[in-house]
Amino acid sequence: MSSEHQLSLFGESNLQASNFDKKELIPTDAKIPIPTGVYADIVELAQHCNQCHRCDLGNTRTHAVIGRGSLKAPIMVVGEAPGQNEDETGLPFVGRAGQLLEKILQSVKLNTEKDVYICNVNKCRPPNNRVPTNEEIEACKPYLLEQIRLVNPKIILLTGATAVKGLIGDKRGITKIRGTWMEWEGRLCMPIFHPSYLLRNPSREVGSPKWLMWQDIQAVRAKYDEIVNNEL
Ligand code: URA
């Protein structure tokens, strides 16, 4: 792997270092893979993300947005990409969509300090909150895979079509697949509506997106309880 395609985190001297292709260097070309198991913890991963230029989103970010919640959470929520509030604070889902997400989780007594870890497919904000491109998703994917490895959740909730496509590659519309359990790499995944979509569709009528979300989050709670009971 050529050093020209890598960004040194700790100065030029490390380009000659023996651990050349490991933690000190980020491949700046998105086509160069970041191997599984590179990061010892989320702090190391976050340092890399904040120096990352594997795609052009690195040029316009204020902060890379890595995750929040419990680093040992049994449930991971994956969103699309940071918005303005998230870019400013460096924390995912802290705007209006995030507040709604918190309410949804709290409605079934899931606690973001204890039970849940929240992150996104893309760590940097796309300009004007556009949907990340396939190239941007692929460039960032190793970070998401490392987060999943490190947090090791049993259940992954994929909010919206981009999260589903970004992690498991399923390109079907979210309306078709929401609420269905899927297995990915030995983990249970459920596609759910993105909270922003619920903000645009506030009706609570039977069959509405909000009503469907209520069904889905109850199914998640029930599955989580089942897993915990089976482990006892
Ligand atoms: N929407 C997302 O998908 N992620 C965030 O972090 C905020 C809004």
Side-chain angles (χ1 to χ4, degrees):
M1 194 185 297
S2 154
S3 60
E4 285 150 36
H5 293 121
Q6 299 202 330
L7 183 72
S8 171
L9 270 182
F10 305 115
E12 288 304 301
S13 61
N14 272 332
L15 288 172
Q16 278 90 43
S18 57
N19 51 359
F20 172 76
D21 60 345
K22 292 278 277 181
K23 294 172 194 146
E24 283 73 11
L25 299 169
I26 308 168
T28 53
D29 181 337
K31 294 198 184 83
I32 301 173
I34 297 177
T36 310
V38 164
Y39 301 111
D41 55 36
I42 296 281
V43 174
E44 274 187 1
L45 183 146
Q47 278 172 353
H48 258 201
C49 289
N50 273 292
Q51 305 280 334
C52 182
H53 286 276
R54 285 171 63 79
C55 75
D56 286 345
L57 298 183
N59 299 338
T60 47
R61 68 168 172 250
T62 312
H63 296 104
V65 174
I66 316 305
R68 68 179 172 91
S70 167
L71 295 174
K72 293 182 181 162
I75 299 174
M76 180 182 271
V77 177
V78 181
E80 181 173 298
Q84 184 180 355
N85 292 299
E86 292 77 19
D87 176 67
E88 283 168 7
T89 58
L91 294 169
F93 280 105
V94 289
R96 279 186 71 216
Q99 285 160 20
L100 179 54
L101 176 62
E102 290 282 343
K103 276 193 192 160
I104 292 164
L105 295 168
Q106 279 166 14
S107 75
V108 289
K109 303 207 163 26
L110 291 174
N111 180 324
T112 39
E113 300 296 306
K114 192 164 72 68
D115 309 311
V116 184
Y117 181 78
I118 302 175
C119 62
N120 283 305
V121 164
N122 274 88
K123 311 303 179 218
C124 299
R125 182 191 182 198
N128 303 316
N129 300 337
R130 64 164 170 74
V131 176
T133 64
N134 288 343
E135 288 72 25
E136 290 160 354
I137 290 172
E138 282 311 305
C140 217
K141 191 161 179 178
Y143 299 128
L144 177 61
L145 297 180
E146 281 292 84
Q147 279 177 300
I148 295 171
R149 180 182 67 81
L150 289 164
V151 176
N152 197 21
K154 295 204 160 34
I155 292 174
I156 303 178
L157 304 180
L158 299 164
T159 67
T162 306
V164 182
K165 187 177 76 170
L167 183 65
I168 64 180
D170 193 322
K171 297 194 180 77
R172 286 177 294 168
I174 192 71
T175 312
K176 268 223 162 72
I177 55 176
R178 56 129 283 278
T180 54
W181 287 110
M182 300 177 175
E183 205 190 311
W184 172 84
E185 304 274 326
R187 299 180 201 272
L188 278 173
C189 296
M190 185 191 277
I192 56 174
F193 285 128
H194 193 287
S196 301
Y197 179 69
L198 302 180
L199 289 172
R200 296 193 297 273
N201 293 277
S203 164
R204 290 168 180 272
E205 263 176 45
V206 173
S208 67
K210 269 199 166 169
W211 182 85
L212 291 169
M213 175 62 102
W214 174 235
Q215 313 307 305
D216 295 348
I217 202 67
Q218 288 185 88
V220 170
R221 177 78 230 193
K223 180 64 77 182
Y224 175 45
D225 290 341
E226 187 188 313
I227 292 170
V228 171
N229 285 334
N230 283 342
E231 280 174 353
L232 289 179

